[in-house]
Amino acid sequence: MSIDRIAQLKTLHLFGMAAAWSEWQSEYGSQQKPVMPEVWLDRLIAAEQADRQARSLNYQLKAARFPIHRDLMNYDWQETPLQQARIEQLATGSFMDQAYNLILVGGTGTGKTHLATALGIAAIHQSKRVRFYNAVDLVNQLDKEKQQGKAGNLAKQLTFMDAVILDELGYLPFPASGGALLFHLISQLYEKTSLIITTNLNFSEWVQVFGDAKMTTALLDRVTHHCDILETGNDSYRFKQRKKAAENR
């Protein structure tokens, strides 16, 4: 009786082994196959490990919910005041091991979201867990959670992340109650989960977002305790690109 080993492996969810077995059979065909079981086993185990790593990576990239894929390979280092070596060091994700924060401050179109996303994706490639949020969307989610009597659930989930990206803080207003909700969340993540915040506001302007001066001071004290501040400048990269294109016509 013929045994369908590929089907058996798939039934056991050993998809990497199933693919490797199929390739192994095709490679040798009817020729004499190696008889050493260690050779077969090592190849199957390596294939399964590689397959599981690839599936885990794809899962984490989807779970992070980045709005668009960005990486450092496509970043224009000529258009930023930031040092490439420093950013590449941050891309190792080592700062997340100590729950350090990053704040990217600069004008619209200066590459803040690109950098935050690229650093998040690089961290996932280093087996880190990352979640991306637009600031207003996050506040709305926290408000909905509170209305449903489930306040605190999201905070508990995010403490298991290595980093949370909070994008576009200060670009759009949210209700006064939203500032308190966001303050509570960030307090829960303090020294547990790294924050990567992009904003067009100076620290003195954060009170516009949170509405209460004392609360804002307390928040900044937590966020900047273990923190790197990266200034991306004020000249829009997209504007400069359009200007160059117009000049070349």
Side-chain angles (χ1 to χ4, degrees):
M1 179 183 294
S2 176
I3 300 175
D4 190 344
R5 292 185 175 85
I6 293 177
Q8 289 180 329
L9 289 169
K10 288 182 177 179
T11 299
L12 294 170
H13 299 283
L14 298 172
F15 300 107
M17 285 190 176
W21 182 265
S22 178
E23 293 173 2
W24 186 265
Q25 295 295 99
S26 299
E27 180 178 341
Y28 285 94
S30 60
Q31 300 176 20
Q32 182 67 33
K33 299 178 177 62
V35 295
M36 294 180 64
E38 294 86 354
V39 175
W40 293 61
L41 186 59
D42 288 346
R43 181 165 176 176
L44 290 172
I45 291 174
E48 184 62 29
Q49 288 175 330
D51 181 72
R52 293 194 177 198
Q53 288 173 356
R55 284 189 284 120
S56 176
L57 176 63
N58 288 333
Y59 172 80
Q60 291 298 338
L61 287 171
K62 290 180 180 178
R65 299 187 184 179
F66 296 110
I68 192 169
H69 187 280
R70 289 283 185 263
D71 55 48
L72 294 179
M73 292 183 64
N74 296 315
Y75 193 74
D76 191 345
W77 298 104
Q78 302 299 319
E79 298 293 343
T80 179
L82 300 173
Q83 294 182 349
Q84 182 176 352
R86 176 56 178 148
I87 300 302
E88 290 177 344
Q89 191 278 327
L90 291 170
T92 66
S94 59
F95 69 94
M96 299 178 188
D97 296 334
Q98 290 80 37
Y100 270 58
N101 300 324
L102 294 178
I103 301 179
L104 286 80
V105 186
T108 301
T110 56
K112 299 184 300 298
T113 300
H114 184 141
L115 276 177
T117 302
L119 290 175
I121 288 176
I124 290 175
H125 279 270
Q126 301 298 324
S127 301
K128 304 293 187 183
R129 291 165 296 180
V130 180
R131 184 67 167 86
F132 182 103
Y133 287 99
N134 174 275
V136 174
D137 292 341
L138 177 57
V139 167
N140 289 337
Q141 188 170 336
L142 291 170
D143 184 58
K144 182 178 179 181
E145 180 184 63
K146 182 179 179 181
Q147 292 177 17
Q148 294 175 341
K150 300 177 180 179
N153 285 355
L154 182 58
K156 290 178 182 178
Q157 294 173 21
L158 294 181
T159 57
F160 292 102
M161 294 289 108
D162 293 291
V164 172
I165 298 174
L166 187 58
D167 192 40
E168 296 188 338
L169 180 69
Y171 279 76
L172 293 173
F174 42 75
S177 60
L181 290 171
L182 192 56
F183 169 79
H184 179 70
L185 173 64
I186 292 175
S187 297
Q188 291 292 101
L189 299 182
Y190 176 57
E191 293 192 326
K192 298 175 183 175
T193 301
S194 291
L195 287 170
I196 302 177
I197 300 174
T198 73
T199 181
N200 63 339
L201 300 178
N202 295 320
F203 289 145
S204 61
E205 299 174 304
W206 280 36
V207 69
Q208 300 173 16
V209 176
F210 295 96
D212 181 276
K214 290 184 178 179
M215 183 171 66
T216 303
T217 300
L219 176 75
L220 284 170
D221 181 62
R222 288 170 172 80
V223 171
T224 60
H225 182 204
H226 308 295
C227 179
D228 274 350
I229 301 169
L230 307 177
E231 297 184 10
T232 60
N234 291 307
D235 296 329
S236 169
Y237 170 74
R238 289 185 290 270
F239 176 78
K240 286 187 286 186
Q241 289 296 98
R242 288 195 296 268
K243 183 177 181 181
K244 287 181 181 179
E247 291 174 348
N248 292 330
R249 289 174 184 169

